[in-house]
């Protein structure tokens, strides 16, 4: 009897302990929620007489992030910005990516933010971006580290521009791409553009040819990597984000293997490419060198291919612009003798092509916005930005602002014949973090368009359009029907 009573007593004690434990856990969760709300709510009231009007959303931590990131056509600003700008003006407050934020759709303020990098503002991307790009990526590093790595990237782009072999490689790959389409009636253009830009970059950086098995391996990993870059950041095996982190690790391992082989100094391994130049730089760590290679591959692969795709998309819906573009390139081709290659002088003569590319950047918005944070309290144009707040300059809102661009939603390359649009467009950012590969993207797109418009006619097969996710992509990959033109 004593044993039974003792067992029952012990049983109830254990049940009591469990109840206490559950109550303690609930209290802890409630306390954490109160603390989170206390941090969240003052942000809506503190400096309320100075900071822009806006809404902080109804969700702790998330705020209005989901609404802000809702996919929309990249040649529009989306419902979130439309509603907030109409209600609060071009500069407003919100709560995004876990912190209070100022969103700027004002070109003057955007330029002020970009030009004051490391003085009043600093690059500040969410932690999941660091996890997938790496802590030494040009996109996330700040201060002297960024300056040093960016100078290396600039040396690559400057070397390419002045190297006739680079222009020859662009044309060689373009012609190869055009020839591979000869027996096709349809291609998924985004896939073709990505293969083209990737093959070009690995050729310049690693001296790899498209038929190299290692090149195919890196491309496959890069495709996995890109899918995860725009996914929900859940580092769980099997998720797009988790697969992307592993894909990046594989790419790093492959690049390190190539670097080790080059570093052995074996005869015949020296390629005199950018990797050899990079390996000779003793001021950058091995991890930094790998990160630069990945950044250059990523920038050359994704940004340029999307620019090419948006140009083809808008030209496919503007026969007048396409006819004008074709006429320009026919004149250039007629000046060449016996299949002579394009050169730098030809590129400089592609005036209307430059207009088309600039307009595709304005309408397509390859980069919608960037992340910054205020390093101190900042006052500009009557607005107060508190120290520590996230700041997001939104480029797409400026590019599509009807007060800055007449018929802003229309694809109109001729607007670039007048100089005014240049002042109100920043497709590659600005200030000390201006994209180092901007000119290369334009050169590659120009050469590709030259051969495309002279070789093929095309129509957009399905109702597909560029979407901001926030990075631009075509949901169906931009399938186009193609028809080989008479070479005469």
């Amino acid at each position: 009897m004593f044993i039974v009573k003792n067992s029952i007593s012990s049983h109830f004690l254990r049940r009591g302990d469990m109840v206490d434990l559950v109550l303690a856990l609930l209290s802890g969760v409630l306390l954490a929620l109160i603390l989170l709300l206390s941090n969240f709510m003052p942000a809506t009231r503190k400096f309320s007489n100075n900071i822009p009007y806006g809404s902080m959303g109804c969700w702790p931590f998330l705020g209005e992030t989901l609404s802000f990131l809702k996919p929309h056509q990249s040649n529009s600003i989306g419902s979130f910005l439309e509603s907030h700008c109409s209600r609060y003006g071009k500069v407003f407050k919100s709560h995004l990516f876990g912190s209070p934020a100022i969103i700027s759709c004002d070109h003057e303020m955007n330029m002020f933010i970009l030009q004051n990098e490391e003085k009043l503002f600093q690059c500040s991307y969410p932690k999941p971006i660091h996890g997938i790009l790496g802590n030494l990526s040009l996109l996330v590093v700040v201060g002297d580290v960024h300056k040093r790595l960016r100078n290396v990237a600039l040396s690559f782009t400057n070397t390419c521009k002045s190297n006739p072999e680079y222009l020859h490689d662009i044309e060689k790959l373009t012609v190869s791409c055009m020839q591979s389409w000869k027996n096709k009636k349809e291609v998924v253009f985004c896939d073709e553009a990505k293969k083209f830009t990737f093959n070009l970059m690995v050729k310049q950086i690693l001296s790899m040819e498209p038929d190299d098995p290692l090149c195919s391996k890196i491309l496959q990993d890069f495709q996995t990597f890109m899918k995860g870059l725009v996914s929900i950041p859940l580092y769980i095996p099997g998720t797009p984000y988790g697969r992307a982190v592993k894909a990046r690790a594989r790419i790093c391992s492959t690049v390190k293997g190539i670097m080790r082989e080059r570093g052995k100094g074996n005869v015949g391994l020296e390629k005199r490419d950018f990797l050899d130049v990079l390996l000779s730089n003793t001021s950058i760590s091995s991890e930094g060198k790998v990160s630069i290679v990945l950044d250059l591959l990523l920038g050359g692969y994704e940004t340029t291919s999307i620019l090419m795709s948006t140009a083809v998309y808008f030209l496919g819906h503007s026969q007048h612009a396409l006819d004008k573009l074709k006429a320009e390139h026919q004149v250039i081709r007629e000046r060449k003798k016996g299949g002579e290659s394009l050169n730098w002088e030809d590129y400089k003569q592609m005036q209307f092509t430059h207009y088309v590319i600039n307009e595709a950047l304005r309408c397509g918005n390859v980069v919608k916005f960037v992340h910054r944070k205020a390093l101190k309290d900042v006052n500009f144009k009557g607005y107060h930005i508190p120290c520590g707040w996230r700041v997001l300059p939104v480029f797409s809102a400026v590019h599509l602002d009807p007060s800055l661009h007449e018929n802003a939603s229309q694809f109109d390359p001729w607007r670039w014949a007048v100089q005014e649009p240049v002042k109100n467009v920043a497709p590659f950012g600005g200030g000390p973090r201006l994209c180092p590969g901007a000119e290369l993207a334009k050169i590659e797109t120009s050469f590709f368009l030259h051969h495309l418009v002279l070789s093929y006619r095309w129509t957009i097969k399905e109702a597909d359009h560029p979407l901001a996710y926030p990075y631009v992509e075509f949901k169906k990959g931009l399938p186009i029907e193609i028809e080989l033109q008479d070479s005469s």
Side-chain angles (χ1 to χ4, degrees), residues 3-19:
I3 295 173
V4 172
K5 283 185 178 180
N6 193 48
S7 298
I8 293 173
S9 176
S10 299
H11 173 70
F12 278 105
L13 281 173
R14 287 197 295 272
R15 287 185 60 188
D17 290 343
M18 289 178 64
V19 170

Side-chain angles (χ1 to χ4, degrees), residues 57-285:
C58 58
W59 294 99
F61 188 76
L62 283 177
E64 298 185 302
T65 305
L66 297 181
S67 298
F68 179 73
L69 293 178
K70 184 179 179 181
H72 59 86
Q73 290 193 31
S74 71
N75 54 334
S76 74
I77 64 172
S79 58
F80 178 88
L81 291 179
E82 282 180 1
S83 63
H84 282 63
C85 286
S86 63
R87 184 179 299 179
Y88 307 118
K90 292 182 181 180
V91 181
F92 57 90
K93 69 181 178 183
S94 183
H95 198 277
L96 302 174
F97 307 103
S99 67
I102 298 295
I103 293 86
S104 170
C105 299
D106 178 81
H107 182 63
E108 189 178 354
M109 176 168 276
N110 288 356
M111 291 300 100
F112 174 77
I113 295 166
L114 297 176
Q115 295 295 336
N116 281 282
E117 179 77 21
E118 298 294 345
K119 300 173 185 174
L120 303 177
F121 304 95
Q122 189 177 72
C123 179
S124 180
Y125 281 84
K127 288 296 182 184
I129 296 293
H130 292 242
I132 200 167
L133 289 179
N135 290 325
L136 288 177
S137 170
L138 270 173
L139 191 66
V140 301
V141 292
V142 298
D144 290 338
V145 177
H146 175 262
K147 290 178 184 177
R148 187 166 63 253
L149 295 182
R150 187 175 185 276
N151 285 338
V152 176
L154 277 173
S155 70
F156 168 74
T157 59
N158 291 333
T159 300
C160 283
K161 284 192 297 183
S162 61
N163 186 0
E165 290 184 13
Y166 164 68
L167 303 182
H168 176 70
D169 286 339
I170 298 174
E171 190 158 30
K172 181 182 176 182
L173 280 171
T174 302
V175 171
S176 175
C177 181
M178 297 295 118
Q179 290 177 343
S180 73
W181 295 358
K182 278 189 174 181
N183 298 319
K184 297 179 180 179
K185 296 189 180 297
E186 176 188 334
V187 295
V188 180
F189 187 82
C190 286
D191 291 346
E192 298 294 314
K194 287 178 179 179
K195 282 190 290 185
F196 167 79
T197 55
F198 182 82
N199 288 335
L200 180 61
M201 292 309 294
V202 294
K203 170 68 174 176
Q204 303 307 308
I205 299 171
L206 305 172
S207 295
M208 281 188 187
E209 297 295 338
D211 57 356
D212 190 320
L214 198 55
C215 182
S216 300
K217 179 178 181 294
I218 298 174
L219 176 58
Q220 186 176 3
D221 282 333
F222 242 92
Q223 290 168 338
T224 303
F225 173 77
M226 287 307 304
K227 289 178 183 176
L229 190 59
V230 294
S231 66
I232 298 172
L234 293 175
Y235 189 38
I236 300 173
T239 62
Y241 184 86
R243 288 195 295 267
V245 172
K246 290 184 177 179
R248 184 188 183 279
R250 289 194 298 270
I251 297 169
C252 288
S253 177
T254 301
V255 173
K256 285 178 180 177
I258 297 171
M259 289 169 59
R260 280 195 300 271
E261 290 300 314
R262 295 276 188 98
K264 290 178 181 178
N266 294 336
V267 177
L269 286 177
E270 298 86 354
K271 304 292 184 179
R272 295 187 179 179
D273 54 18
F274 182 70
L275 183 60
D276 279 341
V277 175
L278 192 59
L279 289 173
S280 67
N281 191 321
T282 58
S283 66
I284 301 173
S285 67

Side-chain angles (χ1 to χ4, degrees), residues 107 111 303 307 357-370 395-396 399 416 421-422 424-430 434-435 438 442:
H107 182 63
M111 291 300 100
T303 306
L307 171 57
I357 290 172
N358 288 336
E359 188 69 349
L361 288 166
R362 186 189 71 83
C363 292
N365 293 294
V366 177
V367 178
K368 178 180 176 180
F369 65 94
V370 291
F395 304 135
S396 59
H399 297 167
W416 288 87
V422 180
N424 301 316
V425 174
F428 294 102
L434 177 69
C435 176
K442 293 182 178 182

